[in-house]
Amino acid sequence: MSISAPQQALGADPDELEQFSAHLVSVAARLDRVSRLLAGEVRDTRWTGSAAVNFRSEWRRTYELSLRQVAAALRSAAEQIREQAQQQRLASSSELQSSASGATSSRGAAQAAAHAAPQATAQAAGQGGLQNLYQAHRQAIATELQLLRAQRADWLSMSLVGGLLSGIRFLPFDPLQEIDQKVGWLESLAGEQRQFLFFDTTGGGHVAEVFGQLDQAQHVTVLVPGVSTDPNDFARPGNLPAARLQLGHSDTAAIQWLGYDPPHNLLQAGFNAGVFSQSSALAGAVALQSFVASLRRSGAQDITVIGHSLGAYLASVAAGTGAGLDADRLVLAGSPGSYRSHVEQLQLRAGPGSAATVFSIEQGVDPISTAAFGRSLLGWEVADPDFGATRLVDGQAGSGNPVSNHSRYFTDQDSLQSLVEVIRNEAAGQPQRQGAN
């Protein structure tokens, strides 16, 4: 039976919606790029006098802000359209199931549809929508590369500017260097094997990349990174925690999720008693809640969220506010603290958290995690037995190396194995240790 009729009857084609959503994201990225280029020219052009002062003031107060607001509106619309496409697939799949079950009783058809809809949705995504989304982002990368290369040629085609840029470069900004760096970054992201759920080609935004077959996976895990993570990290996909966790596990899909704006470094993260970190995590928690809920609507049956460093605190905020986090399990790795004082205050898929659904792991003595100082840097101590989480086995005997411990959660084989066992719902863990190691 063709699926075109139900989709038309419901008023939208999910494939077209997803392509349109990806196009809006691409346009928003171009607006960001144009805004930054213009901002640099407005700032650096040698123009003096009252007219220059007035224009620069108006640029900062009105024009630049308007461009950013339009870009933000496009991204918001793209997200809504993408979620509508997912809902459309679910509705279409349910209708298909009901149509195919016409010979059965109405009660039997409803039960069959309820059990089959998530699987049918995932199959539909795998057959069309999900692959179309991946392809749309690959095309967006290719389009951006073409634009950048054309822009580079335009700069060089101007005799005076081209001569300056290709010879002695003394301008206060170097557009060719900026273009070349971005071209190199985008080229590292190109390729048929890359699977992006969302992607900002400007290099200053948000990215989510899938490792494994999301439409076929029995287990799905979402990796939430911490301080100093940015889109440039995706230039080396094999080094990403999600890639390391998924490697060798065909029944698992891992998603490296950068859907928020973490502090650029530890100095910024700790400034003013961590206020910037907390505000960043609070904003990111809403995005994480929405993202995990969309995975569930798309058919994901078993979801584990693993937060590392500030990402762990962010995940605890997501689980500890509003409707909570629609995940089956939560891991706080190298966490600077929890938003709530006890796991039962964290809301997950099955209800309040427990030792069976909330886990913590500390790699030796980790100066970022709570146990290293006997108190949390943000919120409540996840290493405290009174917090109620199950402590996972790490690969450090004793203190380890405090300088490098915080970055070893996804390279140490014992820690990796502990995390994989949680993802597969096989974790045994160990009793919580009192205080520091």
Side-chain angles (χ1 to χ4, degrees):
M1 181 178 178
S2 170
I3 65 172
S4 59
Q7 289 175 343
Q8 186 175 7
L10 289 167
D13 183 337
D15 291 349
E16 290 184 3
L17 289 177
E18 286 168 340
Q19 290 175 354
F20 183 46
S21 173
H23 178 66
L24 290 181
V25 171
S26 177
V27 172
R30 294 184 200 176
L31 279 177
D32 285 336
R33 180 168 59 83
V34 169
S35 177
R36 288 203 302 272
L37 286 172
L38 286 175
E41 293 180 5
V42 169
R43 180 187 66 244
D44 298 320
T45 298
R46 295 184 179 180
W47 181 25
T48 59
S50 59
V53 172
N54 291 336
F55 178 80
R56 288 190 174 103
S57 175
E58 193 67 20
W59 164 260
R60 289 190 297 268
R61 188 177 63 216
T62 304
Y63 305 146
E64 186 176 24
L65 179 61
S66 296
L67 285 172
R68 291 179 178 177
Q69 288 174 337
V70 170
L74 288 175
R75 288 193 181 88
S76 177
E79 177 64 20
Q80 293 176 16
I81 292 169
R82 185 175 67 84
E83 290 192 2
Q84 183 180 347
Q86 293 169 344
Q87 294 169 2
Q88 185 73 62
R89 288 193 186 285
L90 182 59
S92 298
S93 299
S94 299
E95 184 170 330
L96 279 172
Q97 182 67 27
S98 298
S99 299
S101 308
T104 65
S105 68
S106 58
R107 179 180 179 185
Q111 290 175 338
H115 288 291
Q119 182 178 358
T121 303
Q123 290 173 348
Q127 294 166 0
L130 191 58
Q131 296 304 320
N132 286 342
L133 181 62
Y134 294 158
Q135 183 58 39
H137 286 304
R138 294 183 195 119
Q139 185 58 50
I141 292 172
T143 300
E144 188 73 8
L145 282 169
Q146 290 177 344
L147 291 171
L148 288 169
R149 287 163 179 155
Q151 187 181 47
R152 191 181 198 282
D154 289 341
W155 275 108
L156 291 175
S157 68
M158 295 184 290
S159 57
L160 175 60
V161 176
L164 291 173
L165 293 176
S166 61
I168 301 174
R169 300 183 179 182
F170 60 83
L171 294 178
F173 65 101
D174 187 345
L176 287 189
Q177 184 179 41
E178 180 180 347
I179 290 172
D180 290 344
Q181 288 175 345
K182 192 172 293 184
V183 165
W185 174 65
L186 287 172
E187 286 177 340
S188 73
L189 303 182
E192 290 300 313
Q193 76 281 7
R194 306 304 292 269
Q195 301 180 140
F196 293 107
L197 290 177
F198 56 82
F199 177 83
D200 182 353
T201 55
T202 65
H206 301 159
V207 187
E209 183 170 10
V210 177
F211 297 88
Q213 300 302 315
L214 182 57
D215 54 319
Q216 301 174 18
Q218 298 177 31
H219 311 285
V220 176
T221 185
V222 180
L223 276 295
V224 185
V227 174
S228 78
T229 306
D230 64 42
N232 290 316
D233 294 334
F234 290 77
R236 297 172 297 279
N239 292 338
L240 293 172
R244 295 180 185 276
L245 282 170
Q246 194 278 330
L247 185 64
H249 302 283
S250 60
D251 62 348
T252 298
I255 303 169
Q256 189 75 21
W257 182 85
L258 182 58
Y260 78 116
D261 303 305
H264 296 306
N265 50 57
L266 290 175
L267 182 63
Q268 186 183 48
F271 179 73
N272 195 19
V275 168
F276 186 87
S277 292
Q278 293 183 57
S279 62
S280 176
L282 289 169
V286 177
L288 181 61
Q289 288 174 329
S290 176
F291 180 74
V292 174
S294 71
L295 288 176
R296 187 72 70 179
R297 289 194 300 270
S298 297
Q301 296 294 303
D302 188 66
I303 303 174
T304 299
V305 172
I306 301 176
H308 174 236
S309 191
L310 181 61
Y313 178 74
L314 183 157
S316 77
V317 176
T321 56
L325 197 55
D326 197 7
D328 298 279
R329 291 170 296 283
L330 173 63
V331 181
L332 308 176
S335 178
S338 168
Y339 186 70
R340 297 299 184 188
S341 62
H342 194 274
V343 295
E344 291 182 354
Q345 297 172 320
L346 303 177
Q347 190 72 19
L348 298 177
R349 173 71 169 177
S354 68
T357 58
V358 181
F359 303 82
S360 70
I361 183 170
E362 180 191 347
Q363 186 73 18
V365 172
D366 180 348
I368 301 301
S369 70
T370 59
F373 297 104
R375 61 180 180 83
S376 64
L377 301 176
L378 296 172
W380 302 84
E381 300 176 18
V382 302
D384 190 331
D386 291 336
F387 179 65
T390 294
R391 178 68 175 267
L392 297 176
V393 177
D394 62 80
Q396 293 288 356
S399 298
N401 185 348
V403 175
S404 62
N405 283 344
H406 192 64
S407 61
R408 287 176 49 85
Y409 291 92
F410 305 102
T411 57
D412 172 74
Q413 290 304 309
D414 290 324
S415 296
L416 271 176
Q417 182 60 32
S418 290
L419 294 172
V420 167
E421 288 173 357
V422 173
I423 294 169
R424 299 171 66 87
N425 200 20
E426 300 170 350
Q430 65 186 43
Q432 286 276 20
R433 282 175 280 182
Q434 298 281 351
N437 283 331

